[in-house]
Amino acid sequence: MARGELIKRIGDYCSFCERKINASLAVEHILPKIHHPALRLDWNNFLLACVNCNSTKGDEDLKLGDYFWPDSDNTARAFAYSEDGLVGPAPHLTAAQKEVAERTIHLTGLHKTPTHDPAASDRRWKQRLDAWGRAEEAREDLSKNDSEITRRLIVRQATALGFWSIWMTVFASDLDMRQRFITAFEGTPGACFDARTQPVQRSGGAL
Ligand SMILES: [Zn+2]
């Protein structure tokens, strides 16, 4: 089996916090024990993750069904993003699904803010806040100058920055932009969305 086939990379973004990460980090996550079935449980081997998500998750054994996974579930349905930089369970989930979403958020520490980490080595919350601000600015620019060029530039800015879910949230009412984000962010499965860019149940997934 080719090496590349073993790594379920979801674009060049952390599979969990969605920030852009560089190629050298990706290489660190390729582990050699490719034939060991237990690696099915090892997020690091299969999903590209940034250093914060990776280190928070750690090495403990997991029950796959206890979490939502970005390579098998439609995690676009699992979480809600807000302008305060926080990530929470999506409001439409059932109580049981919310528990799974909450557990998934804690697995990689996406609930953390600087109060959890005074040393501020974990910049994910701050980066989400920044991304939200940039997406709002872009939406404002577009409202003043709605053109194909502006739309393309916004997509370029978004893909360079990462945080797909935040761009999708801020542009919630602009289906054209949402479709562009779905198409432009490498690794976003088109089958996870309906014609109106709403996330749908993923085939074979729990969500
Ligand atoms: Zn991450």
Side-chain angles (χ1 to χ4, degrees):
M1 194 183 287
R3 194 184 190 197
E5 289 172 318
L6 291 163
I7 313 155
K8 289 182 192 167
R9 290 187 56 156
I10 299 186
D12 292 322
Y13 310 98
C14 175
S15 303
F16 209 86
C17 71
E18 303 186 352
R19 63 177 162 176
K20 185 123 182 169
I21 52 183
N22 62 40
S24 62
L25 265 179
V27 172
E28 284 180 7
H29 288 89
I30 302 166
L31 299 181
K33 299 171 186 170
I34 58 174
H35 299 299
H36 199 293
L39 289 183
R40 172 98 176 87
L41 296 173
D42 194 330
W43 173 285
N44 301 332
N45 270 334
F46 290 89
L47 291 165
L48 187 65
C50 76
V51 64
N52 290 124
C53 289
N54 180 41
S55 65
T56 309
K57 178 188 160 287
D59 293 327
E60 67 178 295
D61 206 5
L62 301 172
K63 263 177 71 185
L64 286 179
D66 285 347
Y67 306 90
F68 292 129
W69 300 97
D71 62 327
S72 54
D73 300 311
N74 189 348
T75 45
R77 301 178 70 207
F79 309 115
Y81 292 75
S82 49
E83 62 184 336
D84 53 10
L86 300 179
V87 187
H92 66 268
L93 297 180
T94 65
Q97 288 171 332
K98 278 181 182 165
E99 259 182 52
V100 176
E102 199 70 69
R103 202 180 293 127
T104 307
I105 286 166
H106 279 74
L107 178 68
T108 48
L110 289 183
H111 62 292
K112 288 184 181 176
T113 66
T115 57
H116 297 92
D117 179 16
S121 61
D122 182 347
R123 293 180 41 77
R124 292 173 295 178
W125 171 79
K126 175 73 167 55
Q127 288 172 336
R128 281 197 303 272
L129 262 190
D130 291 347
W132 189 283
R134 292 210 197 184
E136 287 215 316
E137 269 177 35
R139 191 183 57 185
E140 185 77 15
D141 289 347
L142 188 61
S143 72
K144 290 176 188 155
N145 177 23
D146 194 339
S147 67
E148 175 64 20
I149 293 290
T150 309
R151 285 175 181 266
R152 283 192 200 175
L153 287 173
I154 292 170
V155 170
R156 203 176 299 165
Q157 184 192 11
T159 53
L161 189 66
F163 298 103
W164 176 88
S165 293
I166 287 173
W167 293 90
M168 289 292 281
T169 306
V170 169
F171 283 85
S173 58
D174 190 327
L175 299 192
D176 174 74
M177 287 305 297
R178 283 171 59 92
Q179 189 57 61
R180 288 174 194 248
F181 296 139
I182 290 169
T183 306
F185 274 73
E186 192 192 339
T188 308
C192 281
F193 303 90
D194 67 16
R196 293 185 50 77
T197 73
Q198 297 308 306
V200 294
Q201 167 80 38
R202 191 165 188 173
S203 173
L207 199 65

